[in-house]
Amino acid sequence: MADSFASSLPCACKGIRFCASCLDSERVKKLNSENVNHNFDGYQTYVFNPANQRCYLTPNISTNSSVTDIQKQSDWLQQQSSDVLSNIESFQINGLLILENFLNENEEDKLVKEIEITPWVLSQSGRRKQDYGPKVNFKHKKVKCDRFIGVPEYADELLKKMNEKSNGILDSYQPFELCNLEYEPSRLSAIELHQDDMWIWGNRLISLNLLSDSVMTYENSEIKKIVFVFMQRRYLLSMFDDARYKWKHGIFSHHIINRRIALTMREPAKAFQLGGELYEKYGKELIERGNIRIPIL
């Protein structure tokens, strides 16, 4: 349950989103009465094994399972022989990549200290954010470049590591946006199951998990499958291809167990890249701004 301090904080939620501060509001009560939350009856549940990047059928795990439960199942899968795993129903999500221990402890500590220099602003679903990117009207497909003055200097070290550790998958990454999101259990922080916008953002999405273990949940309503990906702190997760375009992803509030920071990056969609129909209108300037580095003072 949220504490009294969290419930007294201002709130940025609207629509179907809510947090500890607005949980008892008339808007959220109406959402609950209309059963806005997804019903996962009939879904099969799987746990992701980072050792071989496959998802294994795990009937004893559900959307109510804890981070610890999912971690134990993930650890168990990694310890099993190929003979044992071959007897468990499994499949692979094309385009789901986990890089374990992307940062060491000292690198994480340094990065978090640099992130904390910038003030946080309220966001929806109990989160706070730092947004380095353009202002986008997704509905009307318009972009304002003015507020995008570049990305923080610490992005360069992360981009370098992505090149070195991803076997070419994340090479030549052009940040079109860098966004830091802070999650706190006392605020019921979460991110609903969703797909990132496909008009402006490109194929490879990046999420670096800092400060706390958590779980990313993937859902495919066409095949009625849910996959739980245990994310240890300092893991980097990338989703592209099928993971990006055929699956929704999100984080349930009960999978935020301590303060967590997610550093996310997005690249331009093809229409915004050189040769695309929106390159001259938006892409050229946004790419130029994405290559500017903001000093950490």
Side-chain angles (χ1 to χ4, degrees):
M1 293 295 293
D3 57 32
S4 59
F5 173 73
S7 62
S8 68
L9 290 173
C11 172
C13 300
K14 57 185 178 181
I16 65 171
R17 296 174 176 173
F18 62 90
C19 66
S21 297
C22 63
L23 187 62
D24 296 324
S25 67
E26 291 302 317
R27 176 181 63 84
V28 176
K29 288 178 181 178
K30 184 179 180 182
L31 288 177
N32 291 333
S33 67
E34 293 173 350
N35 195 27
V36 170
N37 292 328
H38 201 301
N39 186 340
F40 295 109
D41 289 347
Y43 277 67
Q44 290 181 300
T45 56
Y46 295 75
V47 171
F48 181 75
N49 179 5
N52 61 7
Q53 310 279 310
R54 294 187 67 83
C55 311
Y56 287 85
L57 183 65
T58 316
N60 60 309
I61 295 293
S62 72
T63 54
N64 295 320
S65 296
S66 68
V67 172
T68 300
D69 292 336
I70 294 167
Q71 177 186 5
K72 287 179 178 178
Q73 186 63 30
S74 178
D75 290 345
W76 182 85
L77 288 168
Q78 293 180 73
Q79 295 165 5
Q80 303 312 303
S81 67
S82 57
D83 288 342
V84 171
L85 294 177
S86 66
N87 292 317
I88 306 174
E89 179 188 326
S90 69
F91 70 100
Q92 189 166 17
I93 299 178
N94 180 38
L96 182 56
L97 173 68
I98 286 277
L99 298 179
E100 301 179 68
N101 298 312
F102 182 74
L103 301 179
N104 61 39
E105 292 184 24
N106 290 334
E107 290 169 335
E108 179 192 40
D109 183 62
K110 179 177 180 291
L111 176 58
V112 169
K113 286 178 179 176
E114 291 176 336
I115 290 172
E116 297 281 27
I117 292 172
T118 300
W120 295 93
V121 299
L122 280 175
S123 185
Q124 298 195 71
S125 302
R127 294 167 292 157
R128 296 196 301 170
K129 68 179 180 180
Q130 302 169 359
D131 195 0
Y132 302 92
K135 184 176 182 180
V136 185
N137 186 319
F138 298 108
K139 182 178 180 181
H140 298 290
K141 296 186 176 180
K142 294 182 179 180
V143 184
K144 289 185 179 180
C145 303
D146 297 352
R147 79 171 190 183
F148 187 23
I149 60 173
V151 299
E153 286 180 327
Y154 53 72
D156 281 338
E157 184 61 30
L158 301 178
L159 294 169
K160 179 182 176 183
K161 282 181 173 291
M162 286 161 54
N163 284 340
E164 294 171 348
K165 296 190 174 188
S166 67
N167 293 322
I169 294 174
L170 302 178
D171 283 359
S172 305
Y173 197 92
Q174 170 63 60
F176 225 40
E177 179 192 58
L178 188 152
C179 184
N180 297 317
L181 289 166
E182 178 203 57
Y183 293 73
E184 282 276 11
S186 64
R187 296 199 299 262
L188 298 183
S189 298
I191 179 67
E192 72 282 354
L193 291 165
H194 69 287
Q195 288 179 311
D196 284 37
D197 182 80
M198 299 175 191
W199 173 66
I200 186 169
W201 311 131
N203 186 26
R204 299 172 297 178
L205 306 179
I206 304 297
S207 181
L208 176 58
N209 190 52
L210 302 169
L211 295 182
S212 176
D213 299 342
S214 189
V215 170
M216 185 76 79
T217 298
Y218 287 84
E219 182 241 356
N220 187 318
S221 59
E222 290 188 6
I223 58 176
K224 290 189 175 296
K225 294 184 188 297
I226 292 178
V227 175
F228 301 103
V229 179
F230 172 68
M231 294 188 297
Q232 192 168 326
R233 62 186 295 181
R234 300 187 293 277
Y235 273 24
L236 183 138
L237 183 152
S238 179
M239 59 193 87
F240 47 93
D241 296 345
D242 289 355
R244 164 84 163 101
Y245 299 111
K246 293 185 178 181
W247 292 75
K248 291 182 177 180
H249 63 278
I251 299 179
F252 298 129
S253 60
H254 61 280
H255 290 158
I256 300 299
I257 54 176
N258 288 298
R259 184 175 185 239
R260 171 183 184 259
I261 293 176
L263 184 152
T264 66
M265 283 192 282
R266 299 178 176 92
E267 64 181 351
K270 287 186 177 180
F272 292 79
Q273 298 175 23
L274 181 64
E277 62 267 29
L278 294 173
Y279 177 74
E280 291 296 335
K281 185 175 183 179
Y282 295 128
K284 182 178 180 181
E285 182 177 359
L286 288 172
I287 289 171
E288 288 174 353
R289 290 173 180 250
N291 287 322
I292 296 171
R293 296 295 176 259
I294 303 171
I296 303 300
L297 304 176

